Amino acid sequence: MTVIVETSAIVARGLGVRHGGRWVLRPSSFGLPEGMVGIAGQDPSGRSDLLATLATLRRPHAGRLEVLGFDVRNRATLRRLRTRIGFLPARARWAAGFTVHDLVSYAAYYQRRSPSSVRDVLTALELSDAAAWPYGELPADLRVRAGLAAACVHRPQIAFLDEPLTLLGDAARAELVPLLAGLAPTVVLTAPSAAWLTPWCDHVYVLERARLVPAGETAPLAAPPARELPEPEPHHGHWHLVRRPQRMIRRPQNMNMVRRAAVP
Amino acid sequence: MPDLARAVRPARIARVARVVRVDARRGSLLTAVPLLALLGAVAGWRELPAGFRDWDSVVGAAEASVRWSGPTAAGLAAWTGMSGRRLDYLRAITARSPAAAPLHDLALLSAVALAGYLAGALVVALPVLPDGGFRDAHLLGILAGAGALALYVAAGYLAGLSWAHPPVVALTVAAAAAWVALRPEGSWTVLLPPSLIGPADLFDAPRAGVLAAQLCWAGGLAAALVLGHLAWITRRRLLLGGVALALAATALSTARLHAADGVASRPSQVEHVCRHWPVSVCVHPSLAGALPALSAAVAPLATRLSGTPDAIVRIEQRSGREPASFDGGTVGFHLPDLSPGYARRAVHEIESTLTRCPAPPTGLQAQVSAWLRDDPVPARPDTPFSRWSERQRRAWFALRYSDFQSCSLTSVYYF
C-alpha cells in the first residue's frame, strides 16, 4: 500500500470503484504523488474507470477522494477543482467535421479561456500547421497531440491521460513523452503494461485484481532534495516545458528525448 | 449595464457562435431543419380538408403535423444527448456551470425543431396568408403545437443523456410514436399534446381555453424535465422550486383538459355566403368557391319540386351536429369538404330528406328518386314514367307527390 504524504496530489481514503457489477478498485487508502505517475493494468483491469473516477467524471462507490486538496464530494468546490483538471479519455470522441482548431477552441470555451490560449497550446504541441485539418483525418500521433491540446488548453495542475501512448510507435512515443511531462505539474497516465511506463514515469503502479500496488520492477524513485527541484513556473504567459532534473527521467532508448526535455 | 456590455461584446458573441456552429455540425442539426420542415409540411398537408383552406384548418393541420415531426425531433434530440455525453471530458470537466452544456444543446435543438415546424406550417398556410382573419385562437394553436414539439425535444435529449448508447435513439422514437398511437379514441387523453382530434366542423371554433391548457401542459412538463435535470447536475435546491411550479402548472392543465372531455371546439356564429340564382344556395364562407357547382347541381331538383308542397326556396349548409332537414322551403344539408363529387353528394342528401322510406326505394319509387336527383332513370321496371318526357313527368309528379313522400309509389295503380 502506498503511503499518503503531504505532497500527494491525490489522496484516497477507503476509495472503492465499481463497474459492471464488479470492483475495479476495492476500498483502499493510498496517495498518488506529484510528478509523472503511471497506472498499468492488463485488460480488463478497469484502469479507465479508475482514471475517470480520479478525474471526477464518475463518483466513487465507496470512500473519500481528494484531488489537489479538494474533496470531490463537496459540490461547492468541485467546480473549482475541475478548472485544475485536464482529462483525455482513451478513445477521445470527436465530432464529425471538427478541425483541430475547432476542438481546442471548443474546449477553451468550456474552460473560459481566451483565443490566445488556443494559439499558445497549439504552438506548444507543434500543431499550428495542422490546426485547420479535420481531427478525424489526422495520423495517430497528431490526433493524440490534438486531444492533449483540448484537454489541457487551460493549463491544468493535474492531467489524467488514458492510454495516450497505446496507438503510437516507438519513435512517436519517444517524441511525445517530453510533451506529456510538460502538460501539468502532475500527470497521471495509464497503459496496458508497466514496461511502457517505467522508462519515463516517476512512479508506476499496477492495477491488478482490484488492488493498486507499486510496480514490482520499479521501486518509487526517491524524491530529490527540495533545493534541487525547479521553481514552480507561474501559469500565465507562454507555454513551456516543465523542467525536471535529468536524473528524475529514466534514461530513454533515444537520447534525443533527453535533449528535447532539456530545452526550455 | 457593464455586465451586459461585457456579455454582448463581439468577441464573446463570436466565441459563442463558434461553439454553436460546432455543436450544430456535431449533430448534423442544420440538415435537420429542412427535413423537419418537409415532414411537417407533408404531414400537415395530409390533414387539410379537401378543396379549401382557412386558418382553422391550417392551424389544425400544423398541430397534427407534430404527430409525425415530434418523434423525429425526439430521436434527433436523443442522438444529440448521446453524442454530448461522449464529449464529457471537455464539457463536464469545465470552468463553466455543469448546466452550460445541456442548456446549449437544448437551446440549439429547440431552435432547430421550431424552425422546421414553423417552416412546414408556413408552407401549409401560404394559400390563406393573403386572406387575413388570423385570430388569437389560431396563435394559441400554433403555440400548442410548438409546445408539444419542445416537450419531445426535452424528453428525447434527456433520454440520450441518461443512457448514452445507440439503441436509445430507436427506443426514443418508438416511445414517442407510441405516445401518439396508443391513446384511446374518445377518451379525454386525446387532447393531450400532440392533440389527436381530427379536423373540426366548419361551424365550430377552437376553444381557446383548451389550446391554452395544451400549451401549458406541454411547456410545464418540458420545464419540469429540464429543471429537474439541472437541479440534479448542479445540486441547486432552488431549482426544485421551479420544478414544483412547472409540475403544478402541468397538473392544473391536466385537470382542465380532463374537464374538456375530449371536446376541443365549440359552436360559433357563422354568416353564410349565398348565391341566389337559379335557387338560393348558402354555404360557409370558406366554401364560397363551391357555390357555382352546387347551384348547377341543385337546380334540376329545385325545378322538379316546384309546384309541390316541398318546393325549395333556400338550400343552406348546416353544421355536422345538426341533421339534414326540410322545413318550410329551407333545406339543410352537410358539406364537410370539397372532395370530388361533393355536389352530387349534396343533391343525394337533399333528395333523401324528402321521403321517409324505411328501405332503399325500388321499382317506380326508385325511378322517381333517380329522376329527381337528375341521375339516369332505371329502365326496369318498364313503366310509362320511364318513357315519358320531362313535362309529362313533372305534371304527374306534382299530382302524386304525397305518395312519393310516403314511399308508396308502385307501378300497378298509377298509370
Side-chain angles (χ1 to χ4, degrees):
Chain A
M1 192 67 63
T2 59
V3 177
I4 301 173
V5 297
E6 286 185 7
T7 55
S8 295
I10 295 173
V11 175
R13 300 184 195 279
L15 179 71
V17 178
R18 294 178 69 90
H19 179 74
R22 65 177 183 91
W23 286 108
V24 164
L25 177 71
R26 293 190 179 278
S28 52
S29 300
F30 58 89
L32 296 183
E34 296 178 349
M36 287 269 290
V37 178
I39 298 177
Q42 292 187 350
D43 292 328
S45 59
R47 55 185 185 278
S48 298
D49 300 304
L50 174 61
L51 202 71
T53 304
L54 297 178
T56 74
L57 270 181
R58 297 184 188 178
R59 289 197 202 119
H61 290 82
R64 287 179 52 191
L65 174 66
E66 289 180 11
V67 179
L68 299 177
F70 293 93
D71 187 343
V72 302
R73 296 175 306 177
N74 187 341
R75 279 278 162 179
T77 56
L78 182 60
R79 201 161 138 190
R80 277 197 301 166
L81 168 60
R82 284 177 166 172
T83 64
R84 294 163 167 80
I85 291 176
F87 180 76
L88 182 66
R91 285 171 292 280
R93 304 291 183 172
W94 64 89
F98 268 30
T99 64
V100 172
H101 193 272
D102 282 345
L103 178 64
V104 181
S105 300
Y106 193 83
Y109 172 81
Y110 278 100
Q111 291 294 347
R112 292 185 181 272
R113 290 289 173 160
S114 65
S116 60
S117 299
V118 175
R119 284 192 299 271
D120 290 346
V121 74
L122 290 177
T123 302
L125 289 169
E126 301 171 5
L127 287 172
S128 301
D129 292 339
W133 292 4
Y135 182 95
E137 295 177 17
L138 293 174
D141 59 330
L142 290 186
R143 210 177 314 141
V144 171
R145 287 177 187 242
L148 292 174
C152 298
V153 65
H154 56 297
R155 313 192 56 208
Q157 291 185 14
I158 183 168
F160 296 93
L161 313 175
D162 198 2
E163 298 189 39
L165 309 174
T166 302
L167 297 177
L168 304 180
D170 289 340
R173 206 174 292 151
E175 274 197 34
L176 191 64
V177 165
L179 297 176
L180 296 182
L183 289 174
T186 302
V187 177
V188 181
L189 67 160
T190 66
S193 164
W196 289 27
L197 300 171
T198 48
W200 37 65
C201 284
D202 303 327
H203 311 277
V204 179
Y205 303 90
V206 177
L207 184 62
E208 194 175 48
R209 293 179 188 170
R211 295 273 179 220
L212 191 67
V213 296
E217 65 273 21
T218 306
L221 294 172
R227 65 176 179 279
E228 293 192 32
L229 285 173
E231 288 295 320
E233 301 288 347
H235 278 263
H236 59 81
H238 300 290
W239 270 83
H240 52 270
L241 294 174
V242 172
R243 295 199 194 93
R244 298 181 184 281
Q246 291 219 1
R247 67 189 178 90
M248 289 187 71
I249 303 175
R250 290 287 189 185
R251 180 168 292 276
Q253 306 282 343
N254 184 352
M255 286 301 297
N256 286 334
M257 192 201 77
V258 173
R259 283 197 286 275
R260 287 200 187 93
V263 172
Chain B
M1 190 57 77
D3 289 337
L4 180 62
R6 271 203 301 276
V8 299
R9 262 192 330 212
R12 183 186 293 265
I13 293 174
R15 283 203 295 275
V16 175
R18 178 190 287 270
V19 169
V20 168
R21 279 200 307 273
V22 168
D23 277 331
R25 282 208 305 271
R26 172 167 65 87
S28 303
L29 295 180
L30 295 179
T31 57
V33 173
L35 173 67
L36 289 172
L38 178 65
L39 196 58
V42 170
W45 210 272
R46 289 183 47 169
E47 294 293 325
L48 289 171
F52 74 97
R53 302 274 186 280
D54 61 0
W55 275 113
D56 286 348
S57 60
V58 164
V59 171
E63 276 191 278
S65 72
V66 177
R67 297 175 213 157
W68 293 93
S69 57
T72 307
L76 178 68
W79 172 262
T80 303
M82 183 189 70
S83 66
R85 281 293 303 275
R86 296 176 175 183
L87 289 174
D88 268 354
Y89 70 102
L90 298 179
R91 299 179 356 149
I93 301 179
T94 173
R96 296 184 182 270
S97 165
L103 287 176
H104 262 277
D105 286 346
L106 282 169
L108 189 56
L109 282 166
S110 300
V112 164
L114 292 178
Y117 168 71
L118 291 175
L122 188 62
V123 168
V124 172
L126 273 175
V128 299
L129 279 177
D131 298 344
F134 189 80
R135 303 192 306 271
D136 290 346
H138 298 136
L139 179 62
L140 277 175
I142 296 284
L143 290 176
L149 205 56
L151 177 59
Y152 274 118
V153 164
Y157 179 74
L158 293 178
L161 214 58
S162 304
W163 194 54
H165 297 87
V168 73
V169 177
L171 288 173
T172 302
V173 174
W179 170 243
V180 173
L182 297 182
R183 278 181 277 165
E185 279 188 41
S187 81
W188 69 274
T189 56
V190 298
L191 289 181
L192 295 174
S195 169
L196 301 183
I197 298 290
D201 190 282
L202 281 171
F203 293 86
D204 287 349
R207 296 167 70 181
V210 169
L211 293 173
Q214 287 175 335
L215 173 61
C216 202
W217 188 91
L221 194 54
L225 287 174
V226 172
L227 289 175
H229 176 72
L230 294 182
W232 171 254
I233 60 175
T234 62
R235 294 292 194 270
R236 287 187 185 273
R237 293 183 181 178
L238 199 61
L239 291 174
L240 293 178
V243 175
L245 282 175
L247 288 176
T250 305
L252 284 173
S253 307
T254 306
R256 178 69 179 86
L257 292 173
H258 186 273
D261 201 24
V263 177
S265 56
R266 55 175 171 74
S268 66
Q269 292 293 327
V270 174
E271 196 167 325
H272 290 83
V273 293
C274 300
R275 179 181 166 120
H276 297 291
W277 187 90
V279 63
S280 287
V281 180
C282 302
V283 297
H284 188 280
S286 299
L287 303 182
L291 283 173
L294 277 172
S295 299
V298 167
L301 175 63
T303 305
R304 286 159 187 169
L305 284 175
S306 62
T308 68
D310 283 333
I312 295 177
V313 175
R314 176 183 169 95
I315 299 176
E316 189 176 275
Q317 183 186 2
R318 297 281 167 81
S319 163
R321 289 186 308 278
E322 301 175 27
S325 62
F326 208 119
D327 182 22
T330 300
V331 183
F333 74 104
H334 300 124
L335 190 62
D337 55 48
L338 302 184
S339 52
Y342 68 88
R344 299 302 311 160
R345 287 194 298 274
V347 170
H348 279 235
E349 183 182 29
I350 294 168
E351 189 273 334
S352 68
T353 64
L354 299 174
T355 63
R356 288 174 290 278
C357 297
T362 58
L364 180 59
Q365 186 83 23
Q367 288 178 334
V368 174
S369 291
W371 169 71
L372 281 175
R373 295 194 302 267
D374 206 28
D375 287 340
V377 175
R380 292 286 179 266
D382 184 17
T383 63
F385 185 88
S386 64
R387 297 186 297 273
W388 281 345
S389 69
E390 177 69 18
R391 191 170 61 82
Q392 286 173 308
R393 286 171 176 171
R394 287 180 63 182
W396 178 88
F397 181 69
L399 294 174
R400 302 298 183 196
Y401 183 73
S402 59
D403 294 321
F404 166 77
Q405 204 178 24
S406 61
C407 304
S408 54
L409 283 180
T410 63
S411 306
V412 178
Y413 299 105
Y414 296 101
F415 299 103

